[in-house]
Amino acid sequence: MLVLSTLYSLLSQVLSQPGLHTAVLLTPTGQLVSVASEPSRPKDEIRVLVGLAGEVWQETKGDGVGMVESEMGRIVVLPVDEDDGTGLGSPLMLLALNSTDAVSWEESQKRGRLLAGHLAKSLTKYRDFLALPRAMPTASPTLATLVR
Ligand SMILES: *[C@@H]1O[C@H](CO)[C@@H](O)[C@H](O)[C@H]1NC(C)=O
């Protein structure tokens, strides 16, 4: 059985102090599933990160990885999927990592992919359950402004 505390402890393990401080697991439609951050961050900031991650993913998923650098930090978005991010099919979940610019894109991606692979194995059996419904998230104008 997959429990939220397990997800949380997996997310915590991907963090690397002090640069890589926040890891978020969200559904492809932009719903927060679990978050680990060190030090812990205000809910509002997490909500912004989740919205941004969903948007970045929608815009860049063709590459199998979404990346954005802004005043919001360095954000990497990866698919959690058994097919290892070929871009085919829809991912089970998205993993978003937020770090300072002291952490390289390679480092974030490497750590993220390891975790995503691990999560995919645990989540695959829930695919049918998770894949429904497949509605697209409604873009929030506030977030769209933030990315620019
Ligand atoms: C992302 O990280 C940056 C740099 O550490 C931080 O300033 C920003 O508040 C974070 N953004 C979110 C949405 O968590």
Side-chain angles (χ1 to χ4, degrees):
M1 181 62 191
L2 182 79
V3 287
L4 283 176
S5 60
T6 311
L7 288 179
Y8 174 79
S9 70
L10 286 172
L11 286 179
S12 315
Q13 284 167 35
V14 84
L15 301 181
S16 157
Q17 292 308 317
L20 209 178
H21 52 72
T22 307
V24 168
L25 189 66
L26 61 147
T27 67
T29 55
Q31 302 296 310
L32 175 64
V33 177
S34 184
V35 56
S37 66
E38 204 46 64
S40 82
R41 305 205 155 230
K43 273 209 175 89
D44 279 354
E45 217 172 277
I46 301 302
R47 210 171 294 139
V48 170
L49 177 58
V50 167
L52 204 52
E55 243 181 57
V56 166
W57 179 252
Q58 290 304 324
E59 281 168 22
T60 61
K61 61 183 167 184
D63 312 328
V65 56
M67 294 185 280
V68 65
E69 179 147 39
S70 68
E71 61 270 44
M72 305 306 302
R74 214 165 245 203
I75 297 168
V76 171
V77 188
L78 294 163
V80 173
D81 204 347
E82 62 208 309
D83 73 11
D84 201 28
T86 54
L88 305 168
S90 74
L92 299 164
M93 299 259 172
L94 300 177
L95 173 68
L97 304 177
N98 189 17
S99 69
T100 64
D101 61 8
V103 180
S104 72
W105 292 109
E106 291 73 22
E107 173 74 7
S108 278
Q109 280 193 43
K110 202 175 76 189
R111 296 183 74 92
R113 280 191 202 285
L114 277 174
L115 175 61
H118 198 82
L119 287 166
K121 282 196 210 110
S122 323
L123 290 170
T124 290
K125 56 187 165 196
Y126 299 99
R127 173 176 272 289
D128 289 343
F129 174 72
L130 291 168
L132 296 166
R134 281 195 183 162
M136 297 294 270
T138 42
S140 136
T142 340
L143 291 173
T145 324
L146 281 170
V147 203
R148 262 134 231 155

